[in-house]
Amino acid sequence: MSSLAYASRSLAPLLESLGLSSRVTCISGVSSTDSGVYTGFAGSIGGSIGGSIGGSIGGSIGGSIGGSIGSGLPICSISTGTTTSTTNTIYENVDKACIEFDKLKATTGMHRGGLLKSWASHIRQNKKDLATLMTYECGKPLPESLGEVEYGASFLDFYASECLRPNGLGGGTLIPTPFVQPPSAKNSRGTAMTYNEAVGVCGFITPWNFPLAMITRKVGPAIAAGCTSLVKPSELTPLTAMALEVLAR
């Protein structure tokens, strides 16, 4: 995905540039202050997210998000279904994550590292738009949001590198055994091989105050290990998670 235009900080163009306009409806034309720093908490929504990552976060989120720059008024609504349909969607995503898990765990550490590097690159290319969206949601000053985007992307960089370490590649690590044989034994001490392997689908719940970094911090090592993930962000800040999903694709 190419770097997004930053000519306008109003919400509707922002949602469109991040690929969310089909899932989120802007209620009022909220725009930024001249200083580019938004203050106040963005209100509340109700909903849940479920999703699978074979290389992406997916999910369904319901509710309306509030906060005309701290006013507490709704600024957009997110399409949702009934409680039953949302529950069914979550179970469907769990099933999908299990299927994708079998595929992901069979890939090499280098392949998974490439997925994480690509995701980090897309996040950085869209840094300003992600930061603006984050500020709309949680009222964090824009400079703080910009810092979190870089902070969040750095987790993906780190775990992409971890994929290439010997134990990350599944080659195993030789360590001395703790068992000491009698000195007269031919082999007084042996060695054991340990190795890491993917264990299954991971479920993560993330907070509202770091809506981007706490997702990459949790999902990054899961992908590095070969595990798919289900992410449930805070019901107060779902838009940043939705944007991460789009960029992960």
Side-chain angles (χ1 to χ4, degrees):
M1 182 178 293
S2 61
S3 184
L4 300 174
Y6 196 52
S8 172
R9 290 183 184 149
S10 61
L11 186 59
L14 180 63
L15 294 172
E16 183 176 358
S17 70
L18 287 171
L20 301 178
S21 57
S22 63
R23 298 161 65 184
V24 181
T25 303
C26 189
I27 294 177
S28 60
V30 181
S31 59
S32 73
T33 60
D34 292 337
S35 66
V37 176
Y38 312 128
T39 59
F41 189 67
S44 63
I45 78 156
S48 62
I49 179 168
S52 62
I53 297 183
S56 70
I57 305 173
S60 65
I61 311 177
S64 65
I65 184 167
S68 180
I69 311 305
S71 69
L73 299 175
I75 57 174
C76 65
S77 63
I78 304 170
S79 60
T80 183
T82 63
T83 302
T84 300
S85 65
T86 301
T87 301
N88 290 340
T89 300
I90 293 174
Y91 281 116
E92 290 171 1
N93 284 326
V94 171
D95 291 338
K96 291 177 182 178
C98 290
I99 294 173
E100 292 299 320
F101 167 69
D102 289 333
K103 300 176 183 178
L104 187 62
K105 72 176 182 179
T107 61
T108 64
M110 183 172 292
H111 173 78
R112 297 191 297 274
L115 293 177
L116 295 175
K117 288 180 180 179
S118 177
W119 194 12
S121 176
H122 291 326
I123 288 173
R124 289 192 172 96
Q125 288 172 19
N126 296 280
K127 180 176 181 177
K128 291 182 178 180
D129 281 343
L130 284 169
T132 305
L133 187 64
M134 195 186 311
T135 293
Y136 266 119
E137 287 196 295
C138 65
K140 184 178 295 190
L142 188 58
E144 293 291 329
S145 296
L146 288 166
E148 182 176 340
V149 174
E150 183 59 39
Y151 172 60
S154 70
F155 285 121
L156 302 181
D157 294 334
F158 176 81
Y159 287 109
S161 298
E162 286 295 297
C163 287
L164 301 180
R165 297 186 186 278
N167 54 356
L169 293 172
T173 302
L174 287 174
I175 59 174
T177 66
F179 308 110
V180 179
Q181 302 291 338
S184 59
K186 184 176 181 181
N187 297 315
S188 61
R189 198 170 188 182
T191 56
M193 174 176 281
T194 63
Y195 63 94
N196 299 326
E197 61 180 0
V199 296
V201 178
C202 300
F204 301 119
I205 299 174
T206 56
W208 66 268
N209 56 332
F210 288 95
L212 185 147
M214 292 303 101
I215 290 179
T216 57
R217 184 176 183 174
K218 296 172 185 292
V219 175
I223 292 179
C227 298
T228 51
S229 302
L230 297 171
V231 179
K232 192 271 178 198
S234 169
E235 65 275 11
L236 301 175
T237 53
L239 296 179
T240 301
M242 294 171 69
L244 282 179
E245 173 200 353
V246 173
L247 297 175
R249 294 182 184 277

